[in-house]
Amino acid sequence: MPDVPFMELAPDWICEITSRSTASFDRVNKLPVYLKAGVAFAWLVDPTSRTIEALQKVKDHWTLIGNFPGDAPARIEPFEAHEFDLSTLWLEDG
């Protein structure tokens, strides 16, 4: 890894874990920055609703790939070669 205070190369994929206090900021402030930087895929993981919203950069905007419920297996771009058991992501109540 380079010894620099920040990276200049955008990642291909980002994942934001949202909460009631950050969901709006993640969508309104962060997603446009990621888009401008050239990030190709973004996942918004909502632990409260137990869902993943997957987005893909298409030209100059985000396109919804899909909404994935937390109780089913899923293949989500850019990792569609791997099937995720989304139920393993969520903390059990109590």
Side-chain angles (χ1 to χ4, degrees):
M1 293 294 292
D3 185 18
V4 295
F6 61 90
M7 301 295 286
E8 294 183 4
L9 180 63
D12 292 329
W13 166 80
I14 61 95
C15 181
E16 288 286 346
I17 311 300
T18 64
S19 69
R20 285 186 212 128
S21 64
T22 67
S24 177
F25 186 82
D26 293 337
R27 289 177 181 284
V28 175
N29 297 91
K30 288 184 176 181
L31 282 178
V33 172
Y34 296 143
L35 186 68
K36 186 176 178 182
V39 174
F41 294 91
W43 290 5
L44 299 173
V45 178
D46 184 341
T48 304
S49 66
R50 297 182 178 195
T51 59
I52 295 177
E53 180 179 354
L55 306 165
Q56 182 176 14
K57 180 182 187 281
V58 176
K59 296 186 181 178
D60 61 351
H61 64 277
W62 289 113
T63 297
L64 180 66
I65 296 170
N67 288 302
F68 300 87
D71 59 353
R75 294 181 183 273
I76 310 171
E77 292 182 71
F79 306 109
E80 66 274 9
H82 177 76
E83 184 173 88
F84 294 97
D85 179 0
L86 299 183
S87 67
T88 63
L89 296 177
W90 322 116
L91 295 174
E92 295 298 320
D93 294 326

